């Protein structure tokens, strides 16, 4: 069904791109086919919050739940259960006036539609049923550990503070960031 819908609405996907990037929709933003390896990189993007927005911690936790480690929902579904990929990840990037939440996966050319459908199914199930406490705690602990390791590096610490000054945001201490993360609940 999805293959037919995309084929009818976005005929460019069926053109041989020879390594070029092809936009097929506003959400399924780019598909790049590597003719030699017979692999396609799919990226699905969602507009999101800008730098230092109060909801950034929520999106970061969501990204962690979806793809961090072998327990990530996307990893479990697309890689472990269906064996379609070795690498699938979600990412959250913020800029001064907008942000992007993205999901990226590399699959064999004949598995494009199956991978897209599985990703959309995981997102739909997440929207309907939400997350559980175990997932939330695992994601928050992982993020706190990553932050503490990052902030141990002087250059990373300095870079964070320079970014806050550049964008004219109030400088938050590491403790404040951790408190924000601790305040994320399964109901957010």
């Amino acid at each position: 069904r999805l293959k037919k819908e995309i084929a009818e609405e976005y005929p460019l996907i069926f053109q041989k791109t020879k390594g070029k990037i092809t936009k097929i929709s506003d959400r399924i933003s780019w598909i790049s086919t590597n003719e030699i390896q017979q692999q396609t990189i799919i990226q699905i993007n969602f507009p999101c919050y800008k730098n230092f927005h109060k909801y950034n911690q929520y999106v970061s936790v969501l990204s962690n739940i979806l793809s961090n480690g072998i327990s990530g929902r996307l990893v479990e579904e697309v890689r472990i259960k269906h064996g379609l990929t070795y690498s699938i990840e979600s990412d959250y990037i913020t800029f001064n006036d907008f942000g992007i939440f993205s999901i990226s996966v590399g699959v064999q050319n004949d598995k494009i539609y199956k991978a897209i459908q599985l990703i959309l199914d995981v997102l739909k199930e997440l929207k309907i049923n939400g997350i559980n406490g175990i997932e939330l705690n695992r994601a928050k602990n992982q993020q706190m550990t990553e932050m503490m390791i990052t902030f141990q590096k002087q250059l990373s610490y300095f870079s964070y503070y320079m970014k806050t000054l550049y964008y004219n945001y109030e400088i938050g201490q590491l403790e404040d960031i951790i408190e924000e993360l601790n305040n994320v609940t399964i109901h957010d």
Side-chain angles (χ1 to χ4, degrees):
R1 183 179 52 86
L2 181 66
K3 182 176 182 178
K4 184 179 179 197
E5 289 173 16
I6 292 175
E8 290 171 358
E9 193 168 348
Y10 309 103
L12 289 176
I13 193 165
F14 291 98
Q15 294 177 358
K16 292 198 180 245
T17 61
K18 296 184 181 170
K20 296 180 183 175
I21 295 173
T22 304
K23 183 173 182 175
I24 62 166
S25 81
D26 290 336
R27 288 280 186 256
I28 305 169
S29 293
W30 304 106
I31 293 183
S32 174
T33 302
N34 182 320
E35 296 279 333
I36 297 168
Q37 296 175 339
Q38 295 295 306
Q39 186 176 17
T40 298
I41 307 301
I42 303 166
Q43 187 170 21
I44 303 173
N45 294 318
F46 301 89
C48 224
Y49 306 106
K50 64 182 183 173
N51 276 336
F52 305 105
H53 192 279
K54 65 181 180 178
Y55 294 136
N56 284 352
Q57 291 291 359
Y58 305 135
V59 180
S60 292
V61 168
L62 172 65
S63 179
N64 201 306
I65 287 169
L66 287 172
S67 70
N68 200 330
I70 60 169
S71 62
R73 288 189 183 196
L74 290 171
V75 175
E76 243 178 64
E77 189 67 25
V78 181
R79 178 181 174 183
I80 296 171
K81 286 184 186 174
H82 293 275
L84 296 183
T85 188
Y86 178 76
S87 176
I88 184 166
E89 60 185 43
S90 58
D91 195 18
Y92 181 44
I93 303 168
T94 61
F95 301 96
N96 197 34
D97 52 352
F98 71 98
I100 300 170
F101 177 76
S102 64
I103 298 170
S104 303
V105 62
V107 297
Q108 292 177 340
N109 293 345
D110 61 343
K111 306 293 185 200
I112 295 171
Y113 305 104
K114 179 72 173 169
I116 292 170
Q117 188 63 60
L118 289 171
I119 292 167
L120 296 177
D121 290 347
V122 168
L123 295 176
K124 182 178 178 181
E125 194 276 331
L126 181 70
K127 182 178 179 181
I128 293 168
N129 297 318
I131 62 172
N132 64 50
I134 294 170
E135 287 176 310
L136 177 64
N137 289 333
R138 187 180 318 130
K140 287 168 44 172
N141 288 335
Q142 177 69 27
Q143 266 183 255
M144 279 189 248
T145 301
E146 288 173 7
M147 272 192 290
M148 288 181 200
I149 290 169
T150 298
F151 276 93
Q152 284 179 351
K153 299 173 190 167
Q154 287 184 344
L155 186 56
S156 297
Y157 197 67
F158 178 74
S159 177
Y160 167 76
Y161 284 111
M162 292 309 296
K163 188 176 175 182
T164 60
L165 289 172
Y166 178 79
Y167 290 119
N168 201 27
Y169 289 102
E170 183 178 321
I171 296 175
Q173 299 297 318
L174 179 59
E175 295 81 20
D176 299 330
I177 299 168
I178 290 172
E179 184 179 341
E180 283 178 20
L181 183 57
N182 279 328
N183 289 333
V184 176
T185 71
I186 60 173
H187 305 292
D188 292 327

